[in-house]
Amino acid sequence: MKELTKAEERIMQILWGLEMAFTREILEQFKKDPPSYTTVATVLTVLEQKGFVAHEMLGNSKRYYPLISKSKYSDFAMNNVMSKYFEGSLTRLVSFFADRKKMDIDELDEIIKILESKKEED
C-alpha cells in the first residue's frame, strides 16, 4: 500500500463517508475552497491507478467506490507514522502526545481504560 497525498486522502475521506459517489457528489462535499471538477476527476483516476478506488459505469458516468477500507488505511498510516517517528514504539507515541499536547488527566485515564480492556480481551 502507498501513502496518500493530502488531496488523495481528502477525497478518500469523502468517499469512505459516501461509500459510492459520482465525481460531482464528491465535489459537493467540499465546504471551503472546493477544487475544480477536473482536479477531483484527476485525483480519482490516480486513486484508481493506485488501487484505492474502482468505478462502475452508469450510462456515461463513473460511480466510484473504495477498494481499501478506512480502517485498513488507518492501520497502515499509523504504523507508518509510528515507524518513521517513534521507532515503532507505542510507548513513545503516547509519551509524545502526553508531553507535547498537554493531555489532561481524563484523556490519560481513558487511554489506560482502553489499554486495560484490550489486555482483558487477550
Side-chain angles (χ1 to χ4, degrees), residues 4-107:
L4 297 173
T5 66
K6 287 183 181 184
E8 292 166 348
E9 189 170 347
R10 178 66 184 123
I11 288 175
M12 285 302 299
Q13 291 287 351
I14 291 169
L15 196 52
W16 283 319
L18 296 175
E19 296 179 9
M20 291 188 95
F22 296 100
T23 304
R24 176 104 21 233
E25 293 172 318
I26 293 169
L27 187 58
E28 290 169 357
Q29 296 297 309
F30 284 86
K31 305 285 188 246
K32 292 183 179 181
D33 302 320
S36 70
Y37 181 94
T38 307
T39 298
V40 173
T42 300
V43 173
L44 285 164
T45 299
V46 170
L47 286 168
E48 197 163 17
Q49 291 168 349
K50 287 183 172 183
F52 279 86
V53 301
H55 73 271
E56 63 182 12
M57 293 300 295
L58 294 173
N60 291 331
S61 299
K62 294 178 180 179
R63 184 164 62 173
Y64 293 91
Y65 55 92
L67 293 175
I68 304 290
S69 70
K70 185 175 184 177
S71 65
K72 186 173 181 180
Y73 185 74
S74 295
D75 287 344
F76 166 78
M78 283 307 302
N79 286 334
N80 210 10
V81 166
M82 284 184 56
S83 66
K84 279 183 186 177
Y85 301 104
F86 303 103
E87 299 173 17
S89 169
L90 182 58
T91 302
R92 289 179 188 209
L93 174 73
V94 173
S95 177
F96 170 83
F97 284 108
D99 290 344
R100 290 175 183 75
K101 300 299 178 187
K102 306 299 181 221
M103 295 174 81
D104 65 26
I105 194 70
D106 293 333
E107 288 176 308

